Amino acid sequence: MLNNLISVKNLKKSFGGITAVDIKELSFIEGELTSVIGPNGAGKTTFFDLISGFQNADSGDIFLKEKNISNSQPYKIARMGMVRTFQLTKVFDRMTVMENLLFSGSDVNNDSFLRSILKLNSQKVYENSLKDKANEIMNDLNIGHMADSYARELSGGQKKLLELARAIINEPEILLLDEPLAGVNPKLAEDILSLIKKLSEDGITIVMVEHNIEAVMKISERVVVLAEGSLIADGSPNEIRTNKNVIEAYLGKDDE
Amino acid sequence: MITKRFSLQFIFALSISIFSIYLVFFLNPDGAIRILLNLVTFAGIYGLSAIGLNVHFGWTGLLNFGHASFMGVGAYVTLLLMPHAAGREGVVVTTGLPFFVALIIGILAAALFGLLLGLPAIRLRGDYLAIVTIAAAEIFRLLVRDLESITGGVYGIINYTENFQKYRPSFIDELSDNLGFSASQGWVCLAAWISIFFTVLFLKRLSKSPWGRALRAVREDEDAVRAMGKNAVWLKLQSFMLGAGIAGLSGVLLAFNYGSLESTVFIPLLTFYVWAIMILGGVGTITGPIFGSIIFWVIISETDRLAYLLFENANGQQLAGVRFLLVGVLIMFLMIFRPSGLLGKKEELLLDVK
Ligand SMILES: Nc1ncnc2c1ncn2[C@@H]1O[C@H](COP(=O)(O)OP(=O)(O)O)[C@@H](O)[C@H]1O
Ligand SMILES: [Mg+2]
């Protein structure tokens, strides 16, 4: 077990005068389910953008499996096994749910121009196995009946599910989830939550940004708290619940 | 259900195309065959070009407003590699490659030009790519104009058609004798439609393939593509090269249809015609541009006669005005009543006017 599957050192990012992220040191442990919480604007999404390569840090280092990925392209980071979802869902609107999954699960070689021209039998076999996998995942997530619908026809909650499904079929070792429960009805939220728990039990390392504190406290093994870009607390859910800094950060926010 | 609606659309597009061609006969009691051949040839060449543009915009979402330059690179490279004469003095180049070798190099050159243009530009967001491609196409055209010693500049290139016409099958000559059309244009026309046939087969194979699916994913959301570990830039470059290569082929055909080639052929208007054809036919479809092109060319070539029906004493300039007006009105009506074009799927509407 790696104690620092992902770790960042002196990571800084600011927009104009606003410091979005300023973290001295933070690591995530292999196999653990960690939640990142904090008031709106605390820098959680920016933190995800930085470690997944979607934004470049002003300074600092990011390590994934002990390899420095500070200026790596997002797709290269994803290929190393770290896959993310987006706070504002990004589904392929004018493709079917099935196509969304097939694309996401497809190996890069399978996508190649040459293989697609040659239409080798091996590609067909691969695609069929991918389809089976997609069907299985869709059924698990109760979107099997939507397989042939265009993704744009899905409800907000279903789009969240589709994004999750897409991440799962990509078979990540590490999953970064940005507010997987936002805008989802309570019943669906329950389902998504138990799915996340199951993925974690299957051995996937999960880092989740979430505002639903109840949910966070219920399933997380560790909670990390950000406020104004900085790390203000780090511990078990019980420790965080009673942490003075955390209470202040949240109450301070309310006072404004 | 989707197949059924598709075939209905197909019949609709086919009927409009046939009706348009009937209109040509109706408007030209004499010499309809010659006019028709000219029209079908242009329709084939521009249709092919629009099929290439559809790979860029319809499949991948790339805003390419410099399509004429891809056609131009294909045409110039191919012609210059074969025996020809160029420039004010008509400098004769007697040696060169055989047509098919030159053609393949011309197509590859167009694809390579796509790659070179794409490398710096394709990382930019949509509208920036549009600006870069417009500019690059104009730079290409002006370079061709000013490099007179090679390209013939404004005097153009001549005496190259024989390289291609010597492969003309004899049945075309027999038909042309009987029906009274130009045999050489007949051969260009046949070649254009053979090219369309094979390009469509090729693209049909690709569009439902994992590669085609990846391009559509890029069109929908590049960030999500990257998040899934796919190299969006490389996919866009591949799409750019493929569409540019198809445009290059259509440019070569255009050169053979004209018989002489000069830089003014590749003005931005050419690009906008191809865009209009793609939109008419259906963005994101494979065969749509073919029908779009037939209808477009019936309008372009018959506006004169239509305008005479409306305004008896119209002069050339006024006719040109009427022509643009009609194309504009047609596209406007289409956008209102059939925004997805003749063959496009409503669910995949790509020209969202929000
Ligand atoms: N692209 C951007 N341009 C300018 N400011 C930004 C940008 N992205 C985020 N910010 C600012 O950075 C801070 C952190 O934002 P964010 O990471 O989205 O927070 P969170 O996800 O915790 O709500 C906020 O003050 C936000 O306004
Ligand atoms: Mg956020």
Side-chain angles (χ1 to χ4, degrees):
Chain A
M1 192 182 289
L2 265 178
N3 263 338
N4 45 2
L5 189 58
I6 313 162
S7 71
V8 304
K9 289 211 165 64
N10 301 318
L11 190 67
K12 278 197 186 132
K13 176 78 181 176
S14 41
F15 299 99
I18 302 167
T19 304
V21 170
D22 183 0
I23 298 174
K24 261 207 160 50
E25 188 152 18
L26 177 60
S27 305
F28 298 99
I29 297 157
E30 191 175 348
E32 221 172 43
L33 198 172
T34 310
S35 285
V36 177
I37 63 170
N40 266 323
K44 305 179 296 292
T45 297
T46 307
F47 175 65
F48 268 14
D49 282 350
L50 293 177
I51 58 178
S52 60
F54 280 85
Q55 291 193 44
N56 285 331
D58 298 339
S59 62
D61 289 304
I62 306 161
F63 299 88
L64 174 59
K65 300 181 193 171
E66 290 171 336
K67 188 171 173 279
N68 193 329
I69 54 160
S70 297
N71 287 307
S72 294
Q73 301 262 5
Y75 78 90
K76 287 190 178 150
I77 294 173
R79 275 186 209 174
M80 288 175 71
M82 183 157 80
V83 169
R84 69 170 295 184
T85 65
F86 295 89
Q87 181 175 352
L88 301 168
T89 45
K90 291 179 185 287
V91 298
F92 305 122
D93 268 331
R94 287 164 297 193
M95 290 165 67
T96 65
V97 170
M98 178 57 109
E99 285 177 316
N100 265 266
L101 289 188
L102 294 179
F103 168 74
S104 305
S106 170
D107 173 53
V108 193
N109 294 324
N110 183 56
D111 288 340
S112 89
F113 180 77
L114 202 63
R115 268 175 153 264
S116 294
I117 283 285
L118 297 177
K119 275 212 159 92
L120 298 176
N121 202 48
S122 61
Q123 191 184 44
K124 209 167 169 181
V125 171
Y126 181 85
E127 283 281 309
N128 282 336
S129 73
L130 210 54
K131 238 171 240 172
D132 292 341
K133 214 157 91 181
N135 276 321
E136 203 178 301
I137 293 172
M138 282 189 290
N139 289 336
D140 279 353
L141 269 59
N142 293 321
I143 47 173
H145 59 289
M146 307 287 290
D148 295 323
S149 307
Y150 283 89
R152 57 146 54 145
E153 292 162 15
L154 268 53
S155 71
Q158 286 170 325
K159 283 186 183 173
K160 284 266 175 205
L161 273 181
L162 176 55
E163 247 202 348
L164 208 53
R166 251 181 11 198
I168 293 170
I169 201 170
N170 204 275
E171 297 187 336
E173 289 171 53
I174 306 154
L175 200 49
L176 306 178
L177 303 171
D178 200 347
E179 304 201 13
L181 306 180
V184 173
N185 72 52
K187 163 80 187 63
L188 198 55
E190 275 304 312
D191 293 349
I192 293 180
L193 215 53
S194 47
L195 177 75
I196 293 171
K197 200 164 165 77
K198 186 177 153 283
L199 291 172
S200 168
E201 282 162 9
D202 288 347
I204 300 177
T205 307
I206 297 177
V207 182
M208 171 174 92
V209 167
E210 184 47 56
H211 275 302
N212 182 337
I213 299 296
E214 278 302 300
V216 165
M217 295 302 175
K218 202 163 91 191
I219 70 166
S220 310
E221 292 163 78
R222 173 184 169 205
V223 179
V224 168
V225 190
L226 292 183
E228 290 167 11
S230 303
L231 188 67
I232 61 162
D234 180 351
S236 71
N238 276 332
E239 286 163 6
I240 295 300
R241 214 191 291 271
T242 53
N243 184 301
K244 234 175 67 199
N245 289 343
V246 177
I247 296 166
E248 257 172 35
Y250 273 91
L251 290 182
K253 184 87 184 161
D254 284 349
D255 279 353
E256 278 172 13
Chain B
M1 214 178 85
I2 282 171
T3 22
K4 192 173 163 208
R5 191 186 52 227
F6 172 75
S7 63
L8 270 180
Q9 270 187 326
F10 199 80
I11 290 165
F12 173 70
L14 200 63
S15 325
I16 295 198
S17 304
I18 290 171
F19 172 77
S20 309
I21 286 173
Y22 167 76
L23 199 68
V24 176
F25 276 97
F26 173 75
L27 290 168
N28 304 280
D30 317 313
I33 291 284
R34 218 162 10 88
I35 291 167
L36 200 64
L37 176 67
N38 190 44
L39 190 155
V40 172
T41 309
F42 273 108
I45 295 168
Y46 278 63
L48 184 62
S49 186
I51 289 172
L53 183 62
N54 227 347
V55 173
H56 292 161
F57 181 66
W59 289 19
T60 327
L62 297 170
L63 277 173
N64 163 22
F65 283 112
H67 208 53
S69 63
F70 299 135
M71 298 173 72
V73 169
Y76 273 101
V77 169
T78 304
L79 297 197
L80 293 175
L81 287 174
M82 301 184 300
H84 65 274
R88 181 170 22 190
E89 268 90 50
V91 179
V92 181
V93 178
T94 50
T95 55
L97 298 171
F99 167 71
F100 287 103
V101 178
L103 174 71
I104 286 169
I105 297 177
I107 292 172
L108 292 177
L112 188 70
F113 185 66
L115 179 68
L116 290 180
L117 189 56
L119 271 176
I122 226 152
R123 287 161 206 274
L124 308 173
R125 293 280 154 177
D127 22 359
Y128 292 104
L129 181 64
I131 294 165
V132 170
T133 48
I134 291 180
E138 281 297 274
I139 292 169
F140 164 78
R141 185 174 67 81
L142 297 175
L143 268 180
V144 166
R145 192 192 66 185
D146 294 340
L147 288 175
E148 194 183 321
S149 58
I150 303 168
T151 62
V154 287
Y155 304 98
I157 305 177
I158 52 168
N159 293 351
Y160 57 81
T161 51
E162 196 42 39
N163 295 303
F164 169 64
Q165 290 298 341
K166 69 181 175 206
Y167 298 106
R168 184 172 69 226
S170 55
F171 78 89
I172 293 181
D173 294 83
E174 285 159 31
L175 269 179
S176 86
D177 285 344
N178 295 335
L179 296 172
F181 61 82
S182 142
S184 49
Q185 189 169 41
W187 178 214
V188 175
C189 183
L190 184 64
W193 286 89
I194 289 174
S195 306
I196 286 191
F197 178 78
F198 284 106
T199 307
V200 165
L201 278 190
F202 186 69
L203 292 184
K204 282 230 147 113
R205 207 178 162 84
L206 281 174
S207 85
K208 291 288 168 208
S209 76
W211 187 76
R213 188 174 62 204
L215 293 194
R216 276 179 288 134
V218 169
R219 178 190 76 194
E220 294 303 306
D221 198 312
E222 278 177 44
D223 281 345
V225 167
R226 294 193 176 94
M228 291 297 124
K230 315 295 179 93
N231 186 345
V233 169
W234 176 228
L235 285 166
K236 287 198 284 185
L237 284 174
Q238 288 178 323
S239 158
F240 222 47
M241 285 191 277
L242 177 62
I246 295 171
L249 173 60
S250 79
V252 175
L253 290 160
L254 190 63
F256 282 111
N257 194 35
Y258 281 137
S260 74
L261 189 70
E262 26 134 6
S263 60
T264 50
V265 171
F266 303 104
I267 53 176
L269 188 65
L270 173 59
T271 298
F272 292 117
Y273 275 3
V274 176
W275 267 90
I277 287 167
M278 177 186 69
I279 293 167
L280 274 172
V283 175
T285 65
I286 296 176
T287 50
I290 301 172
F291 299 105
S293 191
I294 291 174
I295 292 161
F296 179 86
W297 278 99
V298 168
I299 293 171
I300 288 288
S301 74
E302 295 306 289
T303 342
D304 297 10
R305 272 159 288 273
L306 277 176
Y308 276 128
L309 291 182
L310 298 171
F311 319 100
E312 263 176 49
N313 301 316
N315 64 30
Q317 243 176 357
Q318 289 164 326
L319 287 181
V322 172
R323 175 173 298 173
F324 280 114
L325 193 98
L326 281 180
V327 173
V329 167
L330 184 77
I331 291 181
M332 245 171 60
F333 270 94
L334 201 81
M335 288 292 94
I336 293 167
F337 295 108
R338 277 212 65 82
S340 46
L342 290 170
L343 286 189
K345 284 192 216 159
K346 200 164 78 248
E347 295 82 352
E348 287 189 35
L349 183 63
L350 286 154
L351 287 168
D352 257 328
V353 189
K354 275 186 198 140

